[in-house]
Amino acid sequence: MAPFISTSASKPKPAWHISNLTNFDIRFADSPANEVVIEATKNATHSAQGGKFRKDATLMAAGPDSSVEEKQSFTLKRPSLLGSSSKWTEMRLVSNSSNKEHVEAPFRAFQVKASSVDQRLLVVPNRNMASYLKDIPDSVHLSNILLPGTHDSMAIYGFPFAQCQRQPLLTQLRAGIRVIDVRLAIVNATTLTSFHGVINQKTLFSDILATLYAFLQSEEGKSECVVMSIKQEDFATNPAALFSQLVHDAIFGSSLAGNLKDKGIRKDTTGGEPLPPHSPTAAATSSSRSMWYLENRVPNLGQVRGKIILFSRFGDGTGWENGIEGMGIWNTRWPNSVIPGWNWDVKDTTFQSQDWYDIGSFSKAPEKFALATSTLITRPSPSDPTSKSHHIIPMSFASASTLPFALPSAVALGIGILQIGFAGVNARISQWALDILSSDNPSAAMLSPLSLPQPKVDANKGKKGPATADSNVNQTKSEEVKAAEQAPPDNRLTRISGWLLMDYYDSPGDMIRFLVELNFLNQRLGVQVAPVQATSEITTS
């Protein structure tokens, strides 16, 4: 059957563009007159000249097993105006089955408003966001995966200055967050508690660990891993050696039985919802140490399923069994809000990092978005001298805060009401991911942030922050870097990967889903395995 049939071709019509990123063969028909019919085979993009999108259209899906003849039919319904974005709309899928029981669609559909003459429909799998890593092979290196994360993950108090999140830790994990940023301070000489600056976030480190252990031991979480960055927030008042020892003791000195207090379904002390069930017997006999990945190198996914990957932004290895080689991924050099970023090495992996938070005003949100997303782009260069065994992990913060003109909520969420106002970083990230997923040339769409205005480098900007901050970063591009930038890259292997840490990750609601889906787009493009050259300019030794 031809990919497109039109019953009315008397006048030019807008372009229809349907991206089917599922394992289902989908037949799209614009009702009531079936004016547009598109056969959208699995994992492919299809275009046609078609009519205007009507409020009731039909998706007919054949199962991923071609031998299954039964087809599922759903009618697409537009939500109300208040329930849609100004740039995209999720369509409600209403089953046409004669069975009156509720039938959940195996996919989700979004109408992307590209332009008046470019109408896009994006169909993606309805993934369980609590366990999406199970669909990625064990052999994939962590550098080839895009892991969504939260900046200051426990900072749910202190609005509007200190609050960065609205959801408790367990909700974050179940929503797909796989990198958490935990800031701790010492209370009463021996107790580690979450803080953001001087604001107590009222969650003990032991309770954070209990939540992580329970999630990773649950049926939905056993296929996952979580990167946990730990940073000392009270470095000015409490000894770094004591902080390091307390973190060490929390990892090595307690059993799961001690951390999982009630040995059953209980409340998550970081937010109040039930934790996943776990085995009291297993909890009583397992060491918490077995839940951690503590090597100072970046692993393959299969090595860390069901584990916490420690990322230490503290300590010098004193008191740890293998020194800094036993503190997980270790780096205490953190330049303060430099533009565009800096690089640092861990064995065979280069971290390409960006944490420009002091943006001055929320009006710089477009530049913050451009820098945060362009940092995630890796692509090969003909002048790349590195071997194929070298890996790149972008680590990019989408968060920013400059008081009083760039509050965390304003930067992340924007300012406005009812789709009218100034878009924040999160909405821009969501639109960028949607544009990539719905494009017939995703590699070109990935590169779009590189053409946007970037923040200007201010090498003379005063530095502030902890003593571990590097105030002497060389921001001058080397001749080798300039040559690499001028060499034409191979856009066919462009990839989005790394760790993206965000404030208020839960808005827009499907942002994490879109970012996660980029991993499976990488799979389809064949770029989830090949190490490539970084694009950042700054290097520290």
Side-chain angles (χ1 to χ4, degrees):
M1 181 178 178
F4 165 70
I5 298 176
S6 175
T7 60
S8 175
S10 59
K11 59 182 180 180
K13 295 179 179 178
W16 258 105
H17 189 93
I18 178 169
S19 293
N20 175 17
L21 304 185
T22 74
N23 287 325
F24 291 83
D25 289 328
I26 293 177
R27 179 179 184 272
F28 172 79
D30 188 6
S31 61
N34 285 339
E35 185 178 358
V36 177
V37 177
I38 301 177
E39 299 288 343
T41 55
K42 60 186 178 183
N43 294 323
T45 298
H46 306 265
S47 298
Q49 296 300 311
K52 184 178 180 181
F53 187 88
R54 301 179 188 277
K55 67 177 182 179
D56 294 323
T58 301
L59 283 184
M60 184 77 72
D65 184 352
S66 58
S67 66
V68 178
E69 295 184 357
E70 180 181 359
K71 294 186 177 182
Q72 302 178 61
S73 175
F74 298 89
T75 298
L76 282 81
K77 301 278 189 179
R78 272 200 184 94
S80 65
L81 177 63
L82 295 181
S84 64
S85 162
S86 59
K87 296 295 185 181
W88 71 88
T89 303
E90 179 171 12
M91 311 303 292
R92 290 192 302 116
L93 292 167
V94 180
S95 174
N96 296 325
S97 171
S98 58
N99 189 337
K100 299 301 181 182
E101 295 183 4
H102 173 71
V103 178
E104 184 177 11
F107 44 74
R108 298 177 69 173
F110 298 85
Q111 183 185 8
V112 184
K113 304 172 184 177
S115 70
S116 60
V117 294
D118 185 5
Q119 303 183 64
R120 303 181 187 180
L121 186 69
L122 173 66
V123 185
V124 297
N126 189 10
R127 298 187 191 277
N128 180 358
M129 297 302 292
S131 55
Y132 63 89
L133 289 180
K134 70 180 181 182
D135 297 324
I136 298 178
D138 285 352
S139 59
V140 175
H141 194 263
L142 243 59
S143 63
N144 297 328
I145 304 174
L146 177 60
L147 295 180
T150 46
H151 160 255
D152 245 307
S153 304
M154 308 309 301
I156 59 176
Y157 300 104
F159 182 83
F161 305 110
Q163 183 182 10
C164 297
Q165 308 299 334
R166 292 182 290 208
Q167 303 300 332
L169 179 57
L170 182 61
T171 302
Q172 295 182 32
L173 297 173
R174 285 177 167 167
I177 295 301
R178 293 295 174 266
V179 183
I180 60 174
D181 173 23
V182 176
R183 315 289 178 95
L184 301 170
I186 303 170
V187 176
N188 297 327
T190 59
T191 302
L192 291 172
T193 302
S194 59
F195 270 72
H196 183 192
V198 298
I199 306 299
N200 191 332
Q201 296 301 321
K202 307 175 185 179
T203 303
L204 299 178
F205 186 44
S206 58
D207 290 330
I208 295 173
L209 296 184
T211 299
L212 288 166
Y213 293 158
F215 173 73
L216 291 169
Q217 283 193 313
S218 70
E219 188 62 30
E220 64 182 3
K222 67 182 183 180
S223 61
E224 309 303 287
C225 66
V226 178
V227 178
M228 179 160 67
S229 167
I230 297 179
K231 175 178 178 288
Q232 182 177 4
E233 204 75 335
D234 60 344
F235 57 87
T237 57
N238 278 309
L242 174 60
F243 180 88
S244 181
Q245 189 63 50
L246 290 174
V247 174
H248 171 277
D249 292 348
I251 295 173
F252 286 91
S254 60
S255 68
L256 288 180
N259 283 297
L260 301 173
K261 296 178 181 178
D262 300 326
K263 303 184 180 67
I265 300 176
R266 60 181 183 79
K267 287 190 174 181
D268 171 18
T269 56
T270 66
E273 63 176 289
L275 284 168
H278 58 275
S279 166
T281 302
T285 58
S286 299
S287 167
S288 60
R289 167 63 182 86
S290 66
M291 300 287 294
W292 291 82
Y293 179 84
L294 296 176
E295 295 185 41
N296 188 22
R297 65 178 181 85
V298 180
N300 292 336
L301 178 58
Q303 298 173 285
V304 289
R305 293 195 192 274
K307 294 183 181 292
I308 305 165
I309 302 167
L310 179 60
F311 174 27
S312 297
R313 290 180 58 185
F314 66 91
D316 60 3
T318 303
W320 292 69
E321 279 67 3
N322 296 311
I324 61 173
E325 294 301 317
M327 294 182 66
I329 298 169
W330 180 82
N331 177 41
T332 59
R333 297 173 66 86
W334 208 266
N336 187 68
S337 197
V338 297
I339 304 170
W342 74 103
N343 291 352
W344 49 282
D345 293 326
V346 175
K347 304 298 189 294
D348 62 348
T349 302
T350 294
F351 280 79
Q352 143 181 321
S353 305
Q354 176 278 134
D355 187 13
W356 176 49
Y357 68 86
D358 190 4
I359 66 174
S361 166
F362 73 87
S363 65
K364 294 292 185 68
E367 296 175 27
K368 176 62 184 181
F369 153 74
L371 185 58
T373 50
S374 61
T375 300
L376 298 174
I377 300 169
T378 53
R379 52 184 178 157
S381 169
S383 61
D384 179 10
T386 61
S387 69
K388 291 185 177 180
S389 63
H390 196 79
H391 304 280
I392 303 294
I393 290 189
M395 183 177 184
S396 186
F397 286 78
S399 54
S401 175
T402 304
L403 303 181
F405 300 114
L407 298 175
S409 57
V411 175
L413 305 177
I415 297 177
I417 189 171
L418 298 180
Q419 306 175 12
I420 300 173
F422 186 80
V425 171
N426 291 6
R428 296 171 191 271
I429 289 174
S430 299
Q431 184 65 48
W432 171 66
L434 269 174
D435 287 343
I436 296 170
L437 293 170
S438 62
S439 174
D440 55 0
N441 187 358
S443 293
M446 289 179 187
L447 296 174
S448 61
L450 298 179
S451 64
L452 298 176
Q454 300 281 334
K456 295 180 180 180
V457 174
D458 183 2
N460 298 316
K461 181 179 177 179
K463 301 296 188 295
K464 57 184 179 180
T468 55
D470 184 0
S471 60
N472 297 306
V473 177
N474 179 12
Q475 301 195 48
T476 303
K477 297 182 183 180
S478 68
E479 292 302 319
E480 291 80 5
V481 168
K482 291 179 181 179
E485 289 179 342
Q486 293 170 2
D490 186 350
N491 289 342
R492 294 172 300 175
L493 295 181
T494 300
R495 185 181 70 223
I496 303 296
S497 61
W499 305 344
L500 178 63
L501 289 84
M502 297 161 281
D503 283 344
Y504 297 94
Y505 79 94
D506 54 327
S507 181
D510 285 299
M511 176 173 63
I512 302 302
R513 182 176 298 276
F514 299 151
L515 292 171
V516 165
E517 202 58 40
L518 290 175
N519 286 302
F520 302 97
L521 179 65
N522 283 342
Q523 281 185 358
R524 286 186 284 273
L525 295 175
V527 295
Q528 201 175 63
V529 292
V532 295
Q533 175 70 18
T535 58
S536 282
E537 300 92 343
I538 300 174
T539 302
T540 64
S541 57

